[in-house]
Amino acid sequence: RHKFWETQPVGQFKDLGDASLPEGPIEPPTPLSEVKQEPYNLPSPYEWTTCDLDSEDMCNEVYVLLTNNYVEDDENMFRFNYSKEFLRWALHPPGYYKSWHIGVRVKTSKKLVAFITGVPARIRSRDTVVVMAEINFLCVHKKLRSKRLAPVMIKEVTRRVHLENIWQAAYTAGVVLPTPVSTCQYWHRSLNPKKLIDVGFSRLGARMTMSRTIKLYKLPDQTITPGFRKMEPRDVPAVTRLLRSYLKQFVVAPDFDENDVEHWLLPKEDVVDSYLVESPETHEITDFCSFYTLPSSILGNQNYSTLKAAYSYYNVSTKTPWIQLMNDALIVAKRKDFNVFNALDVMHNETFLKELKFGPGDGKLHYYLYNYRINHVLRPSELGLVLL
Ligand code: MYA
Ligand code: JJ1
């Protein structure tokens, strides 16, 4: 069934439910001298390239490949449209390796036709912090699908990760592979219901008119929580403490330090937004919310070409009730002209999704670990990790 994945150190379907297998690495590291020194062979029309996203030209090539060939919904109505600034941010965290940003070109034309990336991250699984690669942006040009290029690309990124003495990875996908650590549901909160209905992202509910629908999703112009404000550089230490202490409770979560928080959570226009609650009395930072900007191209609509979506990222509530905190996040997202606010059912998100009028989408997201066994499939609420 899975000719490639059956050969890889990942949990296999036949082992599901076998709690006698130990949690942790599936296979031990090999000596670095035994890691293959040359790249894997590609079919002869193609060659490897390392993509320098700092180069405007290369960043543009990657952007065009993904814009035309990356992830679509099951009815091919929308396609993720990551911006160039977003790609630079996503691929340049603290300690990144340029060699993990891998492209494939056609030798004759030099056209970029495939891409895969890794970035380093410390991820905690139960009590153990493991340095891993987060793998993302795997993409093969539509005209080159089903030629088994993806397995070669996965093996090549694995080799380059191994060369840095890193032996585990985390990744998410919309498809079922051997075997999910957890399976999460996408939820959507309409901010501009008229546009969402016009482009086929959502439908008018039964016994609903357009004006009743617009009224249903109306939000105040101003946030409600006293002390709610945008995160600033001076907040990095307090946000790091708040987030670290919050993420402790999840089975799998990132181990963020101040450098990570500065990179991943300081607001970056049209890339990531972060807000916090500073107590007006004590000036303590008690609550935090964030979302990233990921538009989708609308395929074949006469009137609209992009759907502006905010994706819930990391949120922490210690004092402001979850519903009030996330309602304020919806208010700022609406004010910034997002059409929809998306969230997964990870962490404590279930506590506000229904109340704030999110509805379940038709998409699921499966979380995976490479060369690391977890003995039970996790509930989404046990996951403290959001990948981009
Ligand atoms: S998830 C986003 C993936 N991208 C898209 O969905 C964009 C649109 N689709 C495409 O570009 C292509 O369809 C892709 C497959 C490139 C996805 N993850 O070359 P093929 C397996 C893993 O003939 P194509 C993301 O970016 C498939 O089961 N494997 O197929 C995270 C089959 O293997 P098997 C996948 O359709 C990526 C084989 O590939 C995926 O032309 C994490 C077929 O290859 C998928 N999303 O190309 C990657 N889709 O026969 C793993 C298909 O065994 C990282 N396949 O079933 C692992 C950790 C590595 C680092 C380890 C370090 C220690
Ligand atoms: O966005 C998604 N679905 C939308 C659009 C569906 C269009 C037809 N297929 C959706 N809309 C309903 C919204 C409605 C609003 C009012 C309340 C009720 C709900 O369901 C889905 C997620 O649901 N997105 C995708 O399918 C995109 C791919 C998801 C897998 C991503 C893989 C990520 C790669 C990892 O790096």
Side-chain angles (χ1 to χ4, degrees), residues 33-175:
S33 58
E34 286 171 30
V35 177
K36 192 167 143 30
Q37 291 299 307
E38 331 70 48
Y40 282 90
N41 290 323
L42 279 166
S44 63
Y46 310 108
E47 63 187 21
W48 297 111
T49 182
T50 295
C51 295
D52 177 1
L53 278 288
D54 285 329
S55 142
E56 194 57 44
D57 288 354
M58 277 217 182
C59 192
N60 211 19
E61 284 182 278
V62 168
Y63 171 78
V64 170
L65 174 71
L66 296 180
T67 296
N68 295 319
N69 301 279
Y70 200 47
V71 175
E72 300 179 6
D73 68 294
D74 63 350
E75 291 167 288
N76 314 103
M77 296 173 69
F78 306 97
R79 189 188 305 126
F80 286 156
N81 186 205
Y82 289 91
S83 71
K84 288 188 257 183
E85 267 319 292
F86 190 111
L87 293 169
R88 286 208 178 94
W89 170 70
L91 297 177
H92 290 170
Y96 79 90
Y97 302 95
K98 202 176 85 179
S99 59
W100 294 7
H101 305 158
I102 308 171
V104 173
R105 293 186 190 281
V106 175
K107 279 183 190 160
T108 53
S109 63
K110 303 294 169 198
K111 185 183 156 83
L112 185 73
V113 292
F115 192 57
I116 189 168
T117 69
V119 293
R122 289 181 316 283
I123 297 190
R124 181 180 52 73
S125 171
R126 304 199 197 274
D127 300 331
T128 315
V129 176
V130 182
V131 178
M132 297 197 190
E134 291 177 350
I135 307 298
N136 204 346
F137 305 114
L138 168 59
C139 182
V140 168
H141 192 287
K142 286 183 182 241
K143 297 221 162 126
L144 302 180
R145 298 277 169 88
S146 308
K147 294 176 181 295
R148 312 296 299 182
L149 277 178
V152 190
M153 298 175 70
I154 294 166
K155 284 190 272 183
E156 181 60 15
V157 75
T158 301
R159 188 184 71 84
R160 296 189 194 192
V161 170
H162 286 166
L163 286 173
E164 305 298 341
N165 201 19
I166 295 172
W167 304 88
Q168 273 75 33
Y171 50 104
T172 56
V175 294

